[in-house]
């Protein structure tokens, strides 16, 4: 057998803890996404609670963003989030209702718009944006309309607010 004393010894050290095991409203159950902010804060998406939780760079809870509902700043089922625009000062959230909400990095509601499914090139349907790029345009998977043969998909680049397809 090899001399195991020559192997390096690793040690795990906790740098930051987010959430709590028995902290009541600070428990983290299902987390479906997170978004780090430039100042070290982080948004954590909690779809079961219809909200986001914001934590500081030190792991301390800062605030919740959103609540269940369909009013401005509320969510039915938050699905995706990311940066809207290259300045990284606005966050987009895709709600399960196909509504896209724009919020400040502090969680203040700015505006929202609906982006329902649309047809592309007569044979394809784009159901929702799969990602919104830093310039505010979106990429979505286009699937063939029935009765076309299934299994043939395309990625479509388009404007999520107004709908024109770029490519």
């Amino acid at each position: 057998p090899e001399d195991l004393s020559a192997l390096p010894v690793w040690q795990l050290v906790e740098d930051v803890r987010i959430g709590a095991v028995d902290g009541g409203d600070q428990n983290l159950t299902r987390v479906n996404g997170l978004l780090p902010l430039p100042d070290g804060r982080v948004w954590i998406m909690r779809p079961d609670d219809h909200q986001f939780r914001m934590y500081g760079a030190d792991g301390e809870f800062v605030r919740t963003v959103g609540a269940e509902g369909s009013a401005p700043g509320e969510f039915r089922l938050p699905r995706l989030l990311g940066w809207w625009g290259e300045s990284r000062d606005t966050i987009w959230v895709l709600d399960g209702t196909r509504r896209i909400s724009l919020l400040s990095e502090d969680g203040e509601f700015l505006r929202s718009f609906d982006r329902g499914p649309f047809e592309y090139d007569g044979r394809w349907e784009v159901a929702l944006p799969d990602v919104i790029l830093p310039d505010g345009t979106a990429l979505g998977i286009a699937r063939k309309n029935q009765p076309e043969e299934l299994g043939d998909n395309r990625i479509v680049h388009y404007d999520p607010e107004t709908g024109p397809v770029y490519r």
Side-chain angles (χ1 to χ4, degrees), residues 67-161:
E68 184 176 7
S70 55
E74 296 178 341
F75 306 100
R76 289 280 178 209
L77 180 61
R79 296 180 61 161
L80 299 169
L81 79 158
W83 291 108
W84 179 274
E86 296 177 15
S87 63
R88 290 187 171 246
D89 61 359
T90 302
I91 296 169
W92 63 269
V93 174
L94 174 65
D95 198 8
T97 60
R98 296 191 175 111
R99 178 180 63 178
I100 296 173
S101 295
L102 302 178
L103 301 111
S104 74
E105 65 181 45
D106 291 325
E108 301 304 318
F109 176 80
L110 301 173
R111 66 185 176 95
S112 66
F113 58 90
D114 288 333
R115 174 70 273 174
F118 66 93
E119 193 172 275
Y120 166 67
D121 199 26
R123 301 177 310 164
W124 308 83
E125 182 178 281
V126 179
L128 59 130
D130 288 284
V131 67
I132 296 180
L133 302 172
D135 66 0
T137 62
L139 296 176
I141 298 174
R143 293 176 172 82
K144 280 191 174 178
N145 293 326
Q146 299 291 340
E148 293 276 347
E149 220 175 282
L150 299 177
D152 190 8
N153 300 321
R154 294 183 178 183
I155 295 176
V156 178
H157 182 202
Y158 64 97
D159 184 315
E161 282 193 83

Side-chain angles (χ1 to χ4, degrees), residues 36-47:
L37 277 62
D39 64 4
R41 291 179 296 166
V42 63
W43 278 41
I44 295 180
M45 182 168 41
R46 298 285 317 270

Side-chain angles (χ1 to χ4, degrees), residues 3-80:
D3 179 14
L4 297 179
S5 65
L7 294 175
V9 176
W10 289 53
Q11 183 177 359
L12 297 176
V13 176
E14 182 178 297
D15 286 334
V16 175
R17 177 182 292 246
I18 294 178
V21 176
D22 293 318
D25 65 346
Q26 292 307 305
N27 292 343
L28 292 177
T29 54
R30 187 165 71 116
V31 172
N32 273 24
L34 59 92
L35 183 67
L37 277 62
D39 64 4
R41 291 179 296 166
V42 63
W43 278 41
I44 295 180
M45 182 168 41
R46 298 285 317 270
D48 294 341
D49 296 334
H50 312 281
Q51 65 180 212
F52 298 83
R53 291 193 185 159
M54 186 188 310
Y55 291 88
D58 58 1
E60 290 295 315
F61 173 75
V62 175
R63 67 175 288 204
T64 59
V65 175
E68 184 176 7
S70 55
E74 296 178 341
F75 306 100
R76 289 280 178 209
L77 180 61
R79 296 180 61 161
L80 299 169

